[in-house]
Amino acid sequence: MSQFDGSRVLITGGLGFIGANLARRLVGQGAEVTLVDSLIPEYGGNLENIAGIADRVKLNISDVRDEHSLRYLVQGQDYLFNLAGQTSHLDSMHDPFTDLEINARAQLSILETCRLENPNIRIVFAGTRQVYGKPDYLPVDEKHPLRPVDVNGVNKMAGEWYHILYNNVYNIKTTVLRLTNTYGPCMRIKDARQTFVGVWIRQLLQGDSIEVWGGAQLRDFTYIDDCLDAMMLAATHDNATGQIFNLGGREVISLEDLALLLTEEHGSGRFQRKEFPADRQRIDIGDYYADDRLIREQLGWEPQVSLRDGLRRTIDYYRERLDSYV
Amino acid sequence: MSQFDGSRVLITGGLGFIGANLARRLVGQGAEVTLVDSLIPEYGGNLENIAGIADRVKLNISDVRDEHSLRYLVQGQDYLFNLAGQTSHLDSMHDPFTDLEINARAQLSILETCRLENPNIRIVFAGTRQVYGKPDYLPVDEKHPLRPVDVNGVNKMAGEWYHILYNNVYNIKTTVLRLTNTYGPCMRIKDARQTFVGVWIRQLLQGDSIEVWGGAQLRDFTYIDDCLDAMMLAATHDNATGQIFNLGGREVISLEDLALLLTEEHGSGRFQRKEFPADRQRIDIGDYYADDRLIREQLGWEPQVSLRDGLRRTIDYYRERLDSYV
């Protein structure tokens, strides 16, 4: 991936789970990386995520809603990995306007800014499977109807379509990846705002029982390194421009079996099934797993890390650094 | 339709094309009607539209972005016909944020307000076929993928999904109608911001040549009275809650044949085909006509007015009142 050597890369949400891992990978490949992050405590940004590379990246603390900041920052960049977002489904129901401002309005603003200041920039946007809502069929391919079940899903749907639109109308090269459950080192584990897997690992490492809501629901998972592969392919492959790709994983597993696998990899631990709370039940989507053949065929993406390996690496990471994440 | 006798009805965009016609129909049925309109000169509101019923409706000049105003106005209403919107596709590209504020954010705000102040209100939202983008197949049914081709389409898509979401999550009864080209008395004819049919009728009545961009594109049309039938069925029929319905019309016609029909009904006039300007070409969708069987089957809707009759009535209306609309 020498395309990134010497290139200038901007990452929104750059102190977050995916952004920081991507920064680490890209500085290793010789890229000049600028991270934008708001460090809002409820979101994914954490300075610990760039430990060891902090002096090799430029860090700019600002919010994607700050159009003045972004106007300066996009200038001269070759790539924009546009990862900042409000990720909590429940928060989007309690405070729908903040979710709209970040996931929809700021995305439009970033694209307008790129159109005006840097139309040759290459953009990869982190979308979400949440836009599909409750699946009509499994696995879910990109042709599945979009029927979001929460405010976050509606706003993320708008955000991704602005990206496609600016590609089609203004020839700004954009790609949307619809992520499923991405997990690995640097994810938020304080609470379930980013992913429930983080909470489970915290419960495991703190000696608490893992709380499994429901348990029979099927899900797929992408290990962070495989997600980074997809991001970098999307940014550089000619087949990717103007496209929307699902990401999936190597395995489909029930939540209960995932909890079991975690306890096995940790060497100890326990879990208990619990009833869904009412506010989650209303926006739950049941089983979901992706048909990700399109990105495999078009970009040659192939997830490398098994769920067992990925979970072990993740547990190992947090075992060493639990205090920095709780 | 005696359900509306004595009922309290709020109409956003109430001085606009559809809103004012609906108000006229509803006061005739004994409803207590409040109109909300911003009277922004570029939009559809026009006091002439309520000539003769102005003393039988309550008129409240405010913008749907004014959440304070709406918070008061929704209280005690039985029905909300939520029709206010920015309708110009081109304006949405030149000023995407205004379009977002009106077509997305204000919709979310209205729904939040209803949830808090009047959760038993019955809401009908005016959506648009624009959310489908360039059709994969014809006629386009409600299962067609959503792939908006302009900012207006993205924001209207978000606006309609907020409505469905608030139905599904909060049990606020909402229905979305995806309108196609609606035409008739009271539509904006000053420019093409609302519908090109209005401009054509103005050109015809002013003795100018009708400018037909392209000409071969197929379209369907809904006469205003048929649209009102659909709105009122959607507001009162149990099968309508939480649903999205396409509206279509009785005929599918090319733009060139439509221009010809107009000159026939007017008794004179001429038209000329012109090349698409570049900024319109980029967001054009080609042929479109709706499969509207779902609303016919579920709600018993049946458009009554032929295109020829509808155009004649429309020309007659503007012939008498051209000065009030240009």
Side-chain angles (χ1 to χ4, degrees):
Chain A
M1 282 272 184
S2 59
Q3 280 127 308
F4 291 99
D5 190 12
S7 69
R8 301 192 62 186
V9 179
L10 184 67
I11 306 176
T12 68
L15 289 175
F17 167 34
I18 297 173
N21 278 290
L22 182 61
R24 192 175 298 274
R25 174 93 66 98
L26 289 173
V27 298
Q29 297 190 8
E32 201 176 308
V33 177
T34 302
L35 308 181
V36 183
D37 206 288
S38 63
L39 277 178
I40 295 173
E42 288 77 20
Y43 297 179
N46 188 333
L47 285 163
E48 178 70 18
N49 288 346
I50 57 164
I53 60 161
D55 58 348
R56 298 164 68 194
V57 298
K58 287 186 200 165
L59 177 57
N60 189 95
I61 304 300
S62 60
D63 190 287
V64 287
R65 287 167 289 189
D66 176 355
E67 57 198 72
H68 309 291
S69 172
L70 269 291
R71 185 176 307 139
Y72 173 78
L73 293 170
V74 301
Q75 293 175 34
Q77 303 289 347
D78 300 307
Y79 300 96
L80 166 59
F81 291 93
N82 191 13
L83 313 181
Q86 197 297 106
T87 59
S88 163
H89 305 307
L90 279 182
D91 287 358
S92 83
M93 301 305 290
H94 298 143
D95 180 5
F97 299 107
T98 297
D99 192 273
L100 183 150
E101 294 296 329
I102 295 173
N103 289 329
R105 192 182 203 287
Q107 304 312 315
L108 183 57
S109 169
I110 287 169
L111 288 159
E112 268 292 282
T113 297
C114 289
R115 180 174 77 82
L116 296 168
E117 305 291 346
N118 187 359
N120 293 319
I121 198 167
R122 186 72 182 79
I123 304 177
V124 177
F125 175 68
T128 170
R129 66 160 163 79
Q130 194 70 6
V131 297
Y132 295 120
K134 200 171 166 62
D136 277 349
Y137 55 83
L138 293 167
V140 173
D141 60 17
E142 292 86 353
K143 291 191 173 68
H144 188 285
L146 305 184
R147 278 192 312 240
V149 297
D150 56 31
V151 168
N152 180 257
V154 177
N155 294 331
K156 289 293 286 187
M157 177 170 75
E160 70 170 42
W161 280 97
Y162 296 137
H163 281 81
I164 297 302
L165 192 64
Y166 273 66
N167 182 92
N168 295 348
V169 176
Y170 298 120
N171 297 314
I172 295 168
K173 291 180 178 173
T174 65
T175 306
V176 171
L177 299 180
R178 287 186 183 147
L179 309 183
T180 184
N181 299 288
T182 314
Y183 73 102
C186 301
M187 66 186 168
R188 184 177 175 92
I189 63 170
K190 265 185 197 166
D191 53 42
R193 284 195 165 87
Q194 197 170 74
T195 161
F196 68 92
V197 183
V199 176
W200 286 12
I201 285 178
R202 175 174 57 76
Q203 289 168 335
L204 192 69
L205 291 173
Q206 291 182 327
D208 298 329
S209 181
I210 295 175
E211 290 185 6
V212 181
W213 289 337
Q217 308 99 301
L218 297 176
R219 287 285 185 278
D220 54 2
F221 295 85
T222 312
Y223 185 66
I224 180 66
D225 289 3
D226 291 325
C227 177
L228 299 186
D229 288 348
M231 294 258 163
M232 293 163 74
L233 281 167
T236 53
H237 204 299
D238 286 343
N239 288 358
T241 57
Q243 299 301 308
I244 297 174
F245 297 109
N246 284 346
L247 290 196
R250 284 168 50 126
E251 289 124 307
V252 174
I253 190 172
S254 74
L255 296 191
E256 186 165 18
D257 286 343
L258 180 76
L260 189 63
L261 195 55
L262 271 172
T263 58
E264 285 175 12
E265 287 309 308
H266 183 47
S268 68
R270 64 193 194 285
F271 63 91
Q272 60 190 87
R273 293 178 65 153
K274 299 193 100 178
E275 290 298 304
F276 257 112
D279 56 349
R280 284 199 168 265
Q281 183 73 62
R282 284 184 299 186
I283 60 176
D284 181 56
I285 60 162
D287 292 342
Y288 175 91
Y289 47 97
D291 180 337
D292 59 10
R293 281 178 298 177
L294 194 64
I295 188 168
R296 292 173 188 249
E297 288 164 12
Q298 291 293 311
L299 308 190
W301 181 67
E302 190 73 51
Q304 305 292 325
V305 182
S306 72
L307 194 52
R308 187 175 287 278
D309 284 351
L311 291 175
R312 189 175 52 247
R313 294 189 209 175
T314 307
I315 295 168
D316 289 348
Y317 179 85
Y318 286 102
R319 196 181 279 124
E320 302 292 312
R321 299 168 189 82
L322 194 59
D323 287 348
S324 303
Y325 287 92
V326 295
Chain B
M1 283 273 183
S2 58
Q3 279 126 310
F4 290 100
D5 190 13
S7 69
R8 300 192 62 186
V9 178
L10 185 67
I11 306 177
T12 68
L15 289 174
F17 167 34
I18 298 173
N21 277 290
L22 183 60
R24 192 174 297 275
R25 174 93 68 99
L26 289 174
V27 296
Q29 296 191 7
E32 201 177 309
V33 177
T34 301
L35 308 180
V36 182
D37 205 288
S38 64
L39 278 178
I40 295 173
E42 288 77 20
Y43 296 0
N46 188 332
L47 285 165
E48 179 69 19
N49 288 346
I50 57 164
I53 59 160
D55 57 348
R56 296 163 67 194
V57 298
K58 286 186 200 166
L59 176 57
N60 190 96
I61 304 301
S62 61
D63 191 286
V64 287
R65 288 167 289 189
D66 176 354
E67 56 199 73
H68 309 291
S69 172
L70 269 291
R71 186 176 308 138
Y72 173 77
L73 293 170
V74 302
Q75 293 175 34
Q77 303 290 346
D78 299 307
Y79 299 96
L80 166 60
F81 291 93
N82 190 14
L83 313 181
Q86 197 298 108
T87 59
S88 164
H89 305 307
L90 279 181
D91 287 359
S92 83
M93 300 306 290
H94 298 142
D95 180 4
F97 299 108
T98 297
D99 193 273
L100 183 151
E101 294 295 328
I102 294 173
N103 289 330
R105 192 181 205 287
Q107 304 312 315
L108 183 56
S109 167
I110 287 169
L111 288 159
E112 270 291 282
T113 297
C114 288
R115 179 174 77 81
L116 296 169
E117 305 290 346
N118 186 0
N120 293 318
I121 199 168
R122 188 70 183 77
I123 304 177
V124 177
F125 176 68
T128 169
R129 66 161 163 79
Q130 194 70 6
V131 297
Y132 295 120
K134 201 171 164 62
D136 277 349
Y137 55 83
L138 292 166
V140 174
D141 60 17
E142 293 84 355
K143 292 192 172 68
H144 188 285
L146 305 184
R147 278 192 313 241
V149 298
D150 55 30
V151 168
N152 179 256
V154 178
N155 293 331
K156 288 293 287 187
M157 178 170 74
E160 69 171 42
W161 280 96
Y162 296 137
H163 281 81
I164 297 302
L165 191 65
Y166 273 66
N167 182 91
N168 295 347
V169 176
Y170 298 119
N171 297 315
I172 295 169
K173 291 180 178 173
T174 66
T175 307
V176 172
L177 299 180
R178 288 186 182 146
L179 308 182
T180 185
N181 299 288
T182 313
Y183 72 102
C186 300
M187 66 187 168
R188 185 177 175 93
I189 64 170
K190 265 185 195 166
D191 53 42
R193 284 194 164 88
Q194 198 171 74
T195 161
F196 67 91
V197 183
V199 177
W200 286 13
I201 286 178
R202 175 173 57 76
Q203 290 168 335
L204 192 70
L205 291 174
Q206 292 182 326
D208 298 330
S209 181
I210 295 174
E211 290 185 8
V212 181
W213 288 338
Q217 309 98 300
L218 298 176
R219 287 285 185 281
D220 55 2
F221 296 86
T222 312
Y223 185 65
I224 181 66
D225 289 2
D226 291 325
C227 177
L228 299 187
D229 287 349
M231 294 260 163
M232 292 163 74
L233 282 166
T236 53
H237 203 300
D238 285 343
N239 288 357
T241 58
Q243 299 301 309
I244 297 174
F245 297 109
N246 284 345
L247 290 195
R250 285 167 50 126
E251 290 125 307
V252 174
I253 190 172
S254 75
L255 295 191
E256 186 166 18
D257 286 343
L258 181 75
L260 190 62
L261 195 55
L262 271 172
T263 57
E264 286 174 12
E265 287 307 309
H266 183 47
S268 69
R270 62 194 194 284
F271 64 91
Q272 58 190 87
R273 293 178 63 151
K274 299 193 102 179
E275 290 296 304
F276 258 113
D279 56 349
R280 284 199 169 265
Q281 183 73 62
R282 284 184 299 185
I283 60 176
D284 181 56
I285 60 162
D287 293 341
Y288 175 90
Y289 46 96
D291 181 337
D292 58 11
R293 281 179 297 177
L294 194 63
I295 187 168
R296 291 173 189 249
E297 288 164 12
Q298 291 293 312
L299 308 190
W301 181 67
E302 189 73 50
Q304 304 293 325
V305 182
S306 71
L307 193 52
R308 187 175 286 278
D309 285 349
L311 291 174
R312 190 174 52 245
R313 294 189 209 175
T314 307
I315 294 169
D316 288 347
Y317 178 85
Y318 287 102
R319 197 180 278 126
E320 303 291 312
R321 300 167 189 81
L322 194 60
D323 287 348
S324 303
Y325 286 92
V326 294

